[in-house]
Amino acid sequence: MAITVDNASSNDVGFQYLRKRLLRWKDGTVLEGKFVHMRCATHILNLTVREGLKECDDSIKRIRNVVRFVRSSPARLQKFRNCVNQEQIESKRQLYLDVETRWNSTYLMLEYALIFRKAFDLLENSNGGKFFSKLTKMSGVPTDMDWDRVASFIPFLNIFYDATLRLSGSLYATTNVHLLELVTIGKMIKKKCESVDIKERSMANGMKKKHDKYWENVDNINLMLYVAVCCA
């Protein structure tokens, strides 16, 4: 009935060819293949969030580099653990380095790094200048403004992260929950577009443009999603 793929433009061409081939088969398609092309909702969600994260790209890069610095050798990791103990940070979480093309891994990296913010500050002041000089050659050491900015939008990103987990389930049907998640996210983004915080508002505006590109026009939405909701 339908095949789900990401939103690469080459897929549009591929599905045009596939539909022609299916139409040549007797009873080869449902409804003449009009709804065989299903765009991956989680991939669109990924594109939407990444568009918003561009607003804080520099802050994210600096935090990513400081995590990479600590994880780059056992000796540095041990020094960092000593700083964690000195700051009496009690957490079973470990530093996590993201995959830059997957926003949900970036979310986890930032969330975990924030837990150890004081330990990073202590490491900067107790590492004989190596910490500072090494990161200065890259994008610099995270400032208080960087940490505060990331901390302010983590709760916002958490909603997207939870939605991604629900839509990515493999042990249960997800098609029937797509529209509910998308409508909820759309309303949340619209609300954030009216935020008094300039950075948050700018992030939400970027997300809205990408979200609306795929979901604003109901004529562009695969009708099978509506059928799935009605049959759930």
Side-chain angles (χ1 to χ4, degrees):
M1 180 176 289
I3 301 174
T4 303
V5 293
D6 64 24
N7 297 285
S9 57
S10 58
N11 286 328
D12 296 334
V13 178
F15 271 99
Q16 289 177 9
Y17 172 78
L18 178 62
R19 187 183 172 214
K20 290 179 180 178
R21 296 288 297 183
L22 291 174
L23 287 173
R24 294 177 184 176
W25 299 351
K26 183 179 180 180
D27 300 326
T29 63
V30 175
L31 299 174
E32 298 182 344
K34 292 180 180 179
F35 309 109
V36 70
H37 186 184
M38 184 75 73
R39 300 182 185 276
C40 179
T42 51
H43 180 71
I44 296 175
L45 195 59
N46 179 60
L47 296 176
T48 300
V49 179
R50 296 206 67 80
E51 189 66 29
L53 289 179
K54 289 179 180 179
E55 182 61 33
C56 299
D57 196 44
D58 290 339
S59 296
I60 293 173
K61 282 182 179 178
R62 283 189 277 270
I63 293 176
R64 179 183 293 118
N65 286 334
V66 79
V67 171
R68 183 180 287 119
F69 174 87
V70 170
R71 286 170 50 96
S72 63
S73 75
R76 289 175 179 174
L77 189 58
Q78 185 56 52
K79 288 181 179 179
F80 179 75
R81 287 171 178 166
N82 293 339
C83 292
V84 172
N85 291 332
Q86 289 183 51
E87 291 291 347
Q88 299 180 346
I89 300 173
E90 297 182 1
S91 176
K92 295 182 180 180
R93 300 282 179 86
Q94 301 291 328
L95 289 182
Y96 180 87
L97 187 61
D98 68 333
V99 178
E100 295 184 34
T101 55
R102 296 179 57 192
W103 87 267
N104 51 333
S105 69
T106 301
Y107 164 78
L108 291 176
M109 177 190 71
L110 297 174
E111 184 186 36
Y112 293 3
L114 280 168
I115 297 173
F116 302 106
R117 176 176 175 175
K118 291 183 178 179
F120 282 118
D121 291 340
L122 182 59
L123 181 65
E124 180 181 353
N125 297 322
S126 62
N127 199 38
K130 293 181 180 179
F131 180 91
F132 183 83
S133 61
K134 180 72 174 179
L135 292 177
T136 300
K137 295 177 182 177
M138 303 167 74
S139 57
V141 177
T143 63
D144 286 340
M145 184 178 294
D146 292 326
W147 288 111
D148 292 341
R149 183 177 298 168
V150 168
S152 68
F153 66 69
I154 279 293
F156 184 35
L157 294 181
N158 179 256
I159 299 172
F160 289 92
Y161 180 75
D162 289 343
T164 299
L165 292 181
R166 287 191 291 270
L167 293 176
S168 301
S170 59
L171 300 179
Y172 52 88
T174 59
T175 309
N176 60 305
V177 300
H178 280 193
L179 281 182
L180 177 61
E181 294 290 347
L182 295 172
V183 170
T184 301
I185 288 171
K187 289 182 178 179
M188 182 188 65
I189 293 175
K190 186 177 181 180
K191 183 177 180 180
K192 289 294 183 179
C193 286
E194 301 171 357
S195 172
V196 294
D197 186 295
I198 297 177
K199 289 291 184 181
E200 189 174 81
R201 188 167 65 243
S202 181
M203 176 187 291
N205 284 329
M207 290 180 173
K208 187 177 186 303
K209 290 180 181 179
K210 186 66 69 172
H211 182 82
D212 290 350
K213 176 182 177 181
Y214 294 101
W215 302 117
E216 183 178 33
N217 188 348
V218 294
D219 293 332
N220 293 333
I221 300 176
N222 193 314
L223 292 182
M224 292 299 104
L225 287 177
Y226 297 107
V227 174
V229 171
C230 294
C231 294

